[in-house]
Amino acid sequence: MPALTTTADGFLLRGEPFRIISGALHYFRVHPDQWADRLRKARLMGLNTVETYIPWNLHQPGPAAPLDLDGILDLPRFLRLAAAGGLHVLLRPGPYICAEWDGGGLPAWLTADDGIRPRSTDPRFTAAVDAYLDLLLPPLLPHMAEAGGPVIAVQVENEYGAYGDERAYLEHLEKALRGRGVRELLFTCDQADPRHLAAGALPGVLAAGTFGGGVERALARMREHRAEGPLMCAEFWIGWFDHWGGPHHVRDAADAADDLDRLLSAGASVNIYMFHGGTNFGLTNGANHDHAYAATVTSYDYDAPLTEHGDPGPKYHAFREVIARHAPVPDGPPPEPAAKLAPRDVVLDRWAPLLPGTAPDAASAAAAEALLGPPVAEGDPLPMDRLGSPVGFALYRAELPAAGDGVLRFSGGVGDRAQVFVDGAPAGVLERERAEDALTVRVPRAGAALDVLVENLGGTNYGPRIGDRKGLLGPVSFEGAPLGPWTCRSLPPDAPEASAFVPTGRTTGVGPAFHRGTFEVEAPADAFLALPAWTKGLAWINGFALGRYWRRGPQRTLYVPGPVLRTGANDLVLLELHGSAGLTARLTDTPDLGPEPH
Ligand code: GLA
């Protein structure tokens, strides 16, 4: 019998009445040296449980790759810390997780398979899922409640009713978990809508809801769907996420606390989404593609009770008060904000150009070459998944046969943002977001080099476009004449070695290029990287990928977790795609995620 069981209107944990008061905390969005701190703060707010997804795409980077459980992916360690912090755990292994995460967690190496139907009984999909679960579950079973661990429930799929209605697929997943030794309570989660619930729930499996307001109505719908059983909100949305070029979302703390009170007063169990959102470090953010493509920003602060940098925000205090009305909350003062690094400037006075053809000398050209994947020669450009690295960038080169003004046409469009260079000079940008597929350029001479640098801005994580291809997506023509052959190369997003950089010798930054500067730290502490002079790119500190920056906003600073810094010399590297008005970056003590709406 599982540790957690259901009654006509609630849960029992090992036979005792129990209400789940949980908060979402994705270990893969938090520096592992900060896990214990965040978990302690979860318990102090009054949570008795934390919930996390498991991102398949990170844990299994290739079809034949072993399971990666290192560092920020050391889920068994996270589970041990949760248990030590007095918390139960809800696990959501997907395989699809949505979560504003690259591809909804489905690996690009899988979804790139032509014609595959993700999230279905397509045998290519289920075989890959089964092989993944064969790797994933053995190290997790010792952490199940049955074995004395903290995991009391496991989710099957994620809001499947919003996507499909293939019952046999959900049954396959249920059997896959059970057959591999998961004996804890299983649950599905769906938006509190009768059609979603009908398509996404499974007989004999707890059906939980996802909603953020309209509490009474949502609970009534859950009751219409199941006349008996616990009422459980598997995602109680207390904030929201942001897209590049969109508004910064905030939700009033008193309003969210009021809804939480309604939910708990109705006797429901809850998972607050998010308790602590964390960061889409590196290139892990997802995107939405409803009427248009829109990429999610680097911060996943979510306006959650615990901010992206782990300090209690207004909701922390408001929620703690609400929870205390319904359940015991640990004694003691609420956590204080953590110390921040004193602000300082960093001058990025060394650089390494990215396009081999634009390097100032042979050594820099060779260094730029070394960053690129092996060249693949093709008649038409290949999508990124065929070039070795589906994440990051790809660089395409062809010759322009004729001089003069003309239209470059990208017949399949671009995934997701293409910078065009003619003989090394910037000629324009095309964006999937605006469905752009043509650009007028001036070609100075017959035989000029056309370079197209394409950025994968993040895999769509919701709806039918999951797994959409990246890179150049079809043949390219100039004035109607097809271009080719092409040299296609992937650019896995790593910061180059320090030895690849040479003095910049200018007062402004030219892109696309890496820029590097060093700074001293007396005692590591949290900081925020502000880049007002810079345009768009990626940032690393001491080799740790902080994520994308973009002056388009709304996000203006990148979170620098204290554990990334070290006492003494530290290095900051930017991959700047366009250019900068100066060579200075600033470490500040205040985050800026964008103007709050009035
Ligand atoms: C849904 C998904 C989550 C997340 C939220 C929005 O509920 O299940 O993974 O995408 O929406 O933040």
Side-chain angles (χ1 to χ4, degrees):
M1 176 138 85
L4 186 69
T5 53
T6 62
T7 66
D9 62 355
F11 292 106
L12 298 177
L13 184 60
R14 300 196 173 89
E16 298 293 322
F18 181 69
R19 189 218 297 258
I20 301 169
I21 303 182
S22 171
L25 194 181
H26 302 152
Y27 58 96
F28 47 92
R29 284 180 154 133
V30 178
H31 192 289
D33 293 359
Q34 296 172 325
W35 288 349
D37 173 73
R38 305 320 194 230
L39 289 163
R40 184 178 61 82
K41 290 169 176 169
R43 183 70 200 104
L44 258 183
M45 195 178 82
L47 302 183
N48 57 27
T49 305
V50 288
E51 171 272 310
T52 184
Y53 282 125
I54 302 177
W56 181 4
N57 61 338
L58 289 198
H59 282 289
Q60 202 191 3
L67 192 74
D68 188 349
L69 292 178
D70 283 347
I72 200 167
L73 296 178
D74 191 349
L75 175 55
R77 176 172 169 262
F78 179 80
L79 296 175
R80 282 196 299 276
L81 289 172
L87 291 157
H88 304 289
V89 174
L90 307 176
L91 266 193
R92 303 207 285 169
Y96 161 76
I97 64 169
C98 194
E100 291 68 70
W101 192 251
D102 187 20
L106 296 180
W109 53 258
L110 178 64
T111 51
D113 197 348
D114 266 328
I116 193 167
R117 286 186 301 116
R119 309 179 70 192
S120 79
T121 54
D122 181 336
R124 287 178 295 175
F125 186 74
T126 50
V129 170
D130 292 350
Y132 168 56
L133 293 179
D134 281 342
L135 297 175
L136 179 71
L137 288 172
L140 300 187
L141 290 182
H143 302 280
M144 299 287 159
E146 188 193 24
V151 178
I152 53 170
V154 177
Q155 185 177 295
V156 180
E157 245 280 348
N158 190 75
E159 288 192 337
Y160 180 67
Y163 179 84
D165 59 1
E166 216 186 327
R167 166 74 55 87
Y169 165 58
L170 293 179
E171 286 168 351
H172 179 96
L173 294 181
E174 181 189 5
K175 284 204 195 90
L177 292 169
R178 290 290 186 225
R180 286 166 182 78
V182 175
R183 279 190 272 275
E184 306 309 329
L185 184 87
L186 296 183
F187 65 105
T188 55
C189 85
D190 281 284
Q191 289 160 39
D193 171 289
R195 278 166 310 155
H196 289 226
L197 287 162
L202 268 177
V205 172
L206 174 69
T210 59
F211 51 90
V215 171
E216 286 77 13
R217 184 177 148 89
L219 291 177
R221 286 186 152 181
M222 302 302 300
R223 256 300 157 254
E224 280 160 27
H225 175 71
R226 292 263 164 104
E228 278 204 348
L231 289 171
M232 164 86 192
C233 179
E235 284 180 31
F236 179 55
W237 303 314
I238 50 68
W240 206 245
F241 55 93
D242 298 341
H243 293 128
W244 293 115
H248 173 46
H249 292 87
V250 293
R251 180 171 176 195
D252 179 62
D255 173 60
D258 188 49
D259 273 347
L260 179 62
D261 199 23
R262 286 163 194 266
L263 196 55
L264 295 178
S265 299
S269 279
V270 66
N271 175 48
I272 295 164
Y273 193 96
M274 299 290 299
F275 159 67
H276 172 47
T279 309
N280 297 314
F281 292 120
L283 300 168
T284 56
N285 67 279
N288 291 84
H289 197 151
D290 194 358
H291 55 284
Y293 175 84
T296 301
V297 302
T298 300
S299 171
Y300 200 64
D301 178 85
Y302 219 86
D303 197 25
L306 206 62
T307 60
E308 178 180 14
H309 50 283
D311 286 347
K315 286 192 186 102
Y316 188 95
H317 305 289
F319 285 13
R320 192 171 192 240
E321 245 180 78
V322 169
I323 293 170
R325 277 180 229 147
H326 301 273
V329 165
D331 288 337
E336 293 291 326
K340 306 290 181 292
L341 197 75
R344 67 205 58 201
D345 286 345
V346 185
V347 180
L348 292 102
D349 53 4
R350 299 179 76 79
W351 81 314
L354 183 68
L355 301 182
T358 61
D361 54 47
S364 318
E369 274 294 327
L371 295 170
L372 296 161
V376 180
E378 279 292 324
D380 286 323
L382 291 178
M384 285 173 71
D385 57 85
R386 304 269 306 275
L387 298 176
S389 172
V391 292
F393 299 79
L395 181 63
Y396 299 88
R397 171 169 280 213
E399 202 171 88
L400 289 159
D405 291 352
V407 176
L408 270 177
R409 191 163 295 282
F410 296 78
S411 64
V414 301
D416 301 302
R417 187 172 187 273
Q419 292 174 246
V420 177
F421 304 85
V422 176
D423 271 348
V429 172
L430 291 104
E431 294 191 324
R432 169 176 263 174
E433 180 179 331
R434 283 187 267 275
E436 287 166 333
D437 63 0
L439 185 72
T440 303
V441 294
R442 171 157 298 176
V443 181
R445 61 181 179 95
L450 171 69
D451 281 308
V452 187
L453 178 63
V454 186
E455 179 178 3
N456 168 353
L457 281 171
T460 300
N461 57 263
Y462 187 78
R465 290 175 179 271
I466 294 166
D468 268 2
R469 288 210 132 109
K470 305 295 185 179
L472 288 187
L473 305 175
V476 183
S477 62
F478 181 62
E479 286 299 280
L483 295 180
W486 289 83
T487 307
C488 317
R489 308 179 73 173
S490 71
L491 175 66
D494 282 325
E497 297 294 317
S499 59
F501 291 83
V502 296
T504 310
R506 263 192 309 269
T507 55
T508 57
V510 174
F514 291 93
H515 297 264
R516 182 172 186 272
T518 55
F519 58 100
E520 291 290 317
V521 166
E522 48 300 338
D526 280 359
F528 305 91
L529 178 64
L531 299 164
W534 303 78
T535 309
K536 181 182 194 318
L538 304 178
W540 292 262
I541 287 187
N542 299 329
F544 184 93
L546 299 174
R548 297 176 219 261
Y549 64 90
W550 197 348
R551 72 178 304 133
R552 183 177 189 196
Q555 178 172 6
R556 292 285 187 199
T557 56
L558 294 179
Y559 174 49
V560 182
V564 165
L565 300 176
R566 52 191 178 220
T567 304
N570 292 258
D571 59 83
L572 167 65
V573 172
L574 301 181
L575 167 56
E576 168 55 51
L577 296 168
H578 295 278
S580 71
L583 295 178
T584 305
R586 187 159 177 77
L587 289 164
T588 79
D589 55 7
T590 318
D592 182 357
L593 298 179
E596 299 207 350
H598 301 294

Short mmCIF file of all heavy atoms in Angstrom, two decimals, residues 26 53 92 96-101 155 158-159 189 191 210-211 235 237 239-241 273 300 302 461-462, ligand 1:
data_model
loop_
_atom_site.label_atom_id
_atom_site.label_comp_id
_atom_site.label_asym_id
_atom_site.label_seq_id
_atom_site.Cartn_x
_atom_site.Cartn_y
_atom_site.Cartn_z
N HIS A 26 12.04 23.82 -8.68
CA HIS A 26 12.71 22.97 -9.66
C HIS A 26 14.21 22.96 -9.38
O HIS A 26 14.86 23.98 -9.60
CB HIS A 26 12.44 23.47 -11.08
CG HIS A 26 10.98 23.52 -11.42
ND1 HIS A 26 10.45 24.41 -12.34
CD2 HIS A 26 9.94 22.79 -10.97
CE1 HIS A 26 9.16 24.22 -12.43
NE2 HIS A 26 8.81 23.24 -11.61
N TYR A 53 9.45 19.01 -11.13
CA TYR A 53 9.50 18.30 -12.41
C TYR A 53 10.88 17.64 -12.53
O TYR A 53 11.81 17.95 -11.77
CB TYR A 53 9.36 19.27 -13.58
CG TYR A 53 7.97 19.77 -13.89
CD1 TYR A 53 7.70 21.13 -13.94
CD2 TYR A 53 6.95 18.88 -14.22
CE1 TYR A 53 6.44 21.61 -14.29
CE2 TYR A 53 5.68 19.36 -14.57
CZ TYR A 53 5.44 20.72 -14.60
OH TYR A 53 4.21 21.18 -14.96
N ARG A 92 7.33 14.95 -10.55
CA ARG A 92 6.63 15.02 -11.84
C ARG A 92 7.63 14.71 -12.95
O ARG A 92 8.25 15.62 -13.53
CB ARG A 92 6.00 16.41 -12.01
CG ARG A 92 5.05 16.71 -10.84
CD ARG A 92 3.96 17.68 -11.21
NE ARG A 92 4.38 19.05 -11.34
CZ ARG A 92 3.62 20.00 -11.87
NH1 ARG A 92 2.42 19.72 -12.34
NH2 ARG A 92 4.06 21.23 -11.93
N TYR A 96 6.77 14.60 -20.52
CA TYR A 96 6.60 15.99 -20.95
C TYR A 96 6.33 16.82 -19.71
O TYR A 96 5.51 16.42 -18.87
CB TYR A 96 5.43 16.06 -21.92
CG TYR A 96 4.87 17.45 -22.08
CD1 TYR A 96 5.54 18.40 -22.85
CD2 TYR A 96 3.69 17.84 -21.45
CE1 TYR A 96 5.04 19.69 -22.98
CE2 TYR A 96 3.18 19.12 -21.58
CZ TYR A 96 3.86 20.03 -22.34
OH TYR A 96 3.38 21.30 -22.48
N ILE A 97 7.01 17.97 -19.56
CA ILE A 97 6.82 18.77 -18.34
C ILE A 97 6.35 20.20 -18.60
O ILE A 97 6.09 20.92 -17.63
CB ILE A 97 8.11 18.80 -17.48
CG1 ILE A 97 9.26 19.50 -18.21
CG2 ILE A 97 8.50 17.39 -17.02
CD1 ILE A 97 10.48 19.81 -17.32
N CYS A 98 6.28 20.64 -19.82
CA CYS A 98 5.88 22.04 -20.12
C CYS A 98 6.85 23.01 -19.43
O CYS A 98 7.96 23.18 -19.87
CB CYS A 98 4.43 22.31 -19.73
SG CYS A 98 3.81 23.85 -20.43
N ALA A 99 6.39 23.66 -18.31
CA ALA A 99 7.29 24.36 -17.38
C ALA A 99 8.12 25.49 -17.99
O ALA A 99 9.14 25.88 -17.42
CB ALA A 99 8.23 23.35 -16.70
N GLU A 100 7.71 26.01 -19.19
CA GLU A 100 8.52 27.08 -19.81
C GLU A 100 9.96 26.62 -19.97
O GLU A 100 10.90 27.41 -19.90
CB GLU A 100 8.43 28.37 -18.97
CG GLU A 100 7.10 29.04 -18.99
CD GLU A 100 6.00 28.25 -18.29
OE1 GLU A 100 6.03 28.13 -17.06
OE2 GLU A 100 5.10 27.75 -19.00
N TRP A 101 10.11 25.33 -20.20
CA TRP A 101 11.42 24.70 -20.31
C TRP A 101 11.63 24.27 -21.75
O TRP A 101 10.67 23.87 -22.43
CB TRP A 101 11.44 23.47 -19.39
CG TRP A 101 12.80 22.88 -19.18
CD1 TRP A 101 13.25 21.69 -19.67
CD2 TRP A 101 13.88 23.42 -18.41
NE1 TRP A 101 14.53 21.47 -19.26
CE2 TRP A 101 14.94 22.51 -18.48
CE3 TRP A 101 14.03 24.59 -17.67
CZ2 TRP A 101 16.15 22.73 -17.84
CZ3 TRP A 101 15.24 24.81 -17.04
CH2 TRP A 101 16.28 23.90 -17.13
N GLN A 155 3.55 12.07 -10.57
CA GLN A 155 2.59 12.50 -11.59
C GLN A 155 2.78 11.73 -12.90
O GLN A 155 3.92 11.47 -13.32
CB GLN A 155 2.73 14.00 -11.86
CG GLN A 155 1.67 14.52 -12.83
CD GLN A 155 1.76 16.02 -13.05
OE1 GLN A 155 1.55 16.79 -12.12
NE2 GLN A 155 2.08 16.43 -14.26
N ASN A 158 1.56 15.47 -18.04
CA ASN A 158 1.35 16.83 -17.55
C ASN A 158 0.32 17.55 -18.40
O ASN A 158 0.57 17.78 -19.59
CB ASN A 158 2.66 17.61 -17.59
CG ASN A 158 2.55 18.95 -16.88
OD1 ASN A 158 2.55 18.98 -15.65
ND2 ASN A 158 2.42 20.02 -17.61
N GLU A 159 -0.81 17.87 -17.81
CA GLU A 159 -1.89 18.55 -18.53
C GLU A 159 -2.11 17.90 -19.89
O GLU A 159 -2.23 18.60 -20.91
CB GLU A 159 -1.58 20.04 -18.70
CG GLU A 159 -1.67 20.84 -17.41
CD GLU A 159 -1.65 22.34 -17.65
OE1 GLU A 159 -1.15 22.78 -18.70
OE2 GLU A 159 -2.15 23.07 -16.77
N CYS A 189 -2.56 15.76 -13.79
CA CYS A 189 -3.02 17.13 -13.53
C CYS A 189 -3.51 17.73 -14.83
O CYS A 189 -2.94 17.49 -15.89
CB CYS A 189 -1.92 17.98 -12.89
SG CYS A 189 -0.78 18.75 -14.03
N GLN A 191 -5.97 21.27 -16.50
CA GLN A 191 -6.68 22.51 -16.25
C GLN A 191 -8.11 22.17 -15.85
O GLN A 191 -8.68 21.20 -16.37
CB GLN A 191 -6.63 23.39 -17.51
CG GLN A 191 -5.22 23.94 -17.74
CD GLN A 191 -4.96 24.40 -19.16
OE1 GLN A 191 -5.82 24.98 -19.79
NE2 GLN A 191 -3.76 24.15 -19.65
N THR A 210 -5.24 22.28 -12.30
CA THR A 210 -4.30 23.40 -12.34
C THR A 210 -5.11 24.67 -12.57
O THR A 210 -5.90 24.74 -13.50
CB THR A 210 -3.25 23.24 -13.46
OG1 THR A 210 -3.91 23.14 -14.73
CG2 THR A 210 -2.40 22.00 -13.28
N PHE A 211 -4.92 25.65 -11.69
CA PHE A 211 -5.62 26.93 -11.83
C PHE A 211 -4.98 27.95 -10.90
O PHE A 211 -4.20 27.58 -10.00
CB PHE A 211 -7.13 26.77 -11.54
CG PHE A 211 -7.47 26.07 -10.25
CD1 PHE A 211 -7.64 26.78 -9.08
CD2 PHE A 211 -7.63 24.68 -10.21
CE1 PHE A 211 -7.96 26.14 -7.88
CE2 PHE A 211 -7.95 24.03 -9.01
CZ PHE A 211 -8.11 24.76 -7.84
N GLU A 235 -1.22 22.80 -9.47
CA GLU A 235 -0.48 24.03 -9.80
C GLU A 235 -1.39 25.19 -9.48
O GLU A 235 -2.33 25.48 -10.21
CB GLU A 235 -0.13 24.08 -11.30
CG GLU A 235 0.99 23.19 -11.71
CD GLU A 235 1.27 23.30 -13.20
OE1 GLU A 235 1.06 24.38 -13.78
OE2 GLU A 235 1.67 22.28 -13.77
N TRP A 237 -1.38 28.82 -9.54
CA TRP A 237 -0.53 29.84 -10.17
C TRP A 237 -0.64 31.16 -9.40
O TRP A 237 -1.65 31.85 -9.50
CB TRP A 237 -0.95 30.06 -11.63
CG TRP A 237 -0.91 28.82 -12.46
CD1 TRP A 237 0.08 27.90 -12.51
CD2 TRP A 237 -1.93 28.35 -13.36
NE1 TRP A 237 -0.24 26.89 -13.39
CE2 TRP A 237 -1.46 27.14 -13.93
CE3 TRP A 237 -3.17 28.85 -13.77
CZ2 TRP A 237 -2.20 26.41 -14.85
CZ3 TRP A 237 -3.91 28.13 -14.69
CH2 TRP A 237 -3.42 26.93 -15.22
N GLY A 239 1.75 33.60 -9.71
CA GLY A 239 2.48 34.61 -10.47
C GLY A 239 2.48 34.16 -11.91
O GLY A 239 1.61 33.37 -12.31
N TRP A 240 3.45 34.61 -12.68
CA TRP A 240 3.52 34.17 -14.09
C TRP A 240 4.92 34.45 -14.62
O TRP A 240 5.73 35.08 -13.95
CB TRP A 240 2.44 34.88 -14.91
CG TRP A 240 1.99 34.10 -16.14
CD1 TRP A 240 2.17 34.48 -17.44
CD2 TRP A 240 1.30 32.85 -16.18
NE1 TRP A 240 1.61 33.53 -18.28
CE2 TRP A 240 1.07 32.51 -17.54
CE3 TRP A 240 0.84 31.95 -15.19
CZ2 TRP A 240 0.43 31.35 -17.95
CZ3 TRP A 240 0.19 30.78 -15.60
CH2 TRP A 240 -0.01 30.49 -16.95
N PHE A 241 5.18 33.98 -15.83
CA PHE A 241 6.50 34.11 -16.44
C PHE A 241 6.46 35.20 -17.52
O PHE A 241 5.38 35.62 -17.94
CB PHE A 241 6.93 32.77 -17.03
CG PHE A 241 5.92 32.20 -18.00
CD1 PHE A 241 6.03 32.45 -19.36
CD2 PHE A 241 4.84 31.45 -17.54
CE1 PHE A 241 5.09 31.94 -20.25
CE2 PHE A 241 3.90 30.94 -18.42
CZ PHE A 241 4.02 31.19 -19.78
N TYR A 273 2.47 27.10 -7.33
CA TYR A 273 3.33 27.13 -8.52
C TYR A 273 3.62 28.59 -8.86
O TYR A 273 2.72 29.30 -9.28
CB TYR A 273 2.65 26.45 -9.70
CG TYR A 273 3.59 26.18 -10.86
CD1 TYR A 273 4.21 24.94 -11.00
CD2 TYR A 273 3.88 27.16 -11.80
CE1 TYR A 273 5.07 24.68 -12.05
CE2 TYR A 273 4.76 26.90 -12.85
CZ TYR A 273 5.34 25.66 -12.96
OH TYR A 273 6.21 25.41 -14.00
N TYR A 300 13.19 32.99 -14.07
CA TYR A 300 11.92 32.31 -13.83
C TYR A 300 11.46 32.70 -12.42
O TYR A 300 10.99 31.89 -11.66
CB TYR A 300 12.09 30.79 -13.99
CG TYR A 300 10.80 30.03 -14.25
CD1 TYR A 300 10.05 30.25 -15.40
CD2 TYR A 300 10.32 29.09 -13.35
CE1 TYR A 300 8.87 29.56 -15.65
CE2 TYR A 300 9.14 28.39 -13.59
CZ TYR A 300 8.42 28.63 -14.74
OH TYR A 300 7.25 27.93 -15.00
N TYR A 302 8.96 34.37 -11.49
CA TYR A 302 7.54 33.99 -11.42
C TYR A 302 6.75 34.85 -10.42
O TYR A 302 5.62 34.55 -10.11
CB TYR A 302 7.41 32.50 -11.06
CG TYR A 302 6.29 31.80 -11.80
CD1 TYR A 302 6.48 31.26 -13.07
CD2 TYR A 302 5.02 31.69 -11.23
CE1 TYR A 302 5.45 30.62 -13.74
CE2 TYR A 302 3.98 31.06 -11.91
CZ TYR A 302 4.20 30.53 -13.16
OH TYR A 302 3.18 29.89 -13.83
N ASN A 461 7.28 24.93 -25.68
CA ASN A 461 7.00 23.95 -24.62
C ASN A 461 5.53 23.66 -24.40
O ASN A 461 5.17 22.92 -23.49
CB ASN A 461 7.65 24.40 -23.30
CG ASN A 461 7.18 25.76 -22.85
OD1 ASN A 461 7.85 26.77 -23.08
ND2 ASN A 461 6.03 25.84 -22.19
N TYR A 462 4.66 24.22 -25.23
CA TYR A 462 3.21 24.00 -25.02
C TYR A 462 2.53 23.94 -26.37
O TYR A 462 2.87 24.73 -27.26
CB TYR A 462 2.63 25.16 -24.18
CG TYR A 462 1.19 24.95 -23.77
CD1 TYR A 462 0.86 24.11 -22.71
CD2 TYR A 462 0.15 25.60 -24.43
CE1 TYR A 462 -0.46 23.92 -22.32
CE2 TYR A 462 -1.18 25.42 -24.05
CZ TYR A 462 -1.48 24.57 -22.99
OH TYR A 462 -2.78 24.38 -22.61
C1 GLA B 1 0.88 24.74 -16.98
C2 GLA B 1 2.01 23.73 -16.99
C3 GLA B 1 3.22 24.21 -16.21
C4 GLA B 1 3.53 25.65 -16.56
C5 GLA B 1 2.32 26.50 -16.26
C6 GLA B 1 2.52 27.98 -16.57
O1 GLA B 1 0.10 24.61 -15.89
O2 GLA B 1 1.58 22.49 -16.48
O3 GLA B 1 4.30 23.38 -16.51
O4 GLA B 1 3.86 25.72 -17.90
O5 GLA B 1 1.26 26.10 -17.07
O6 GLA B 1 3.59 28.49 -15.90
#
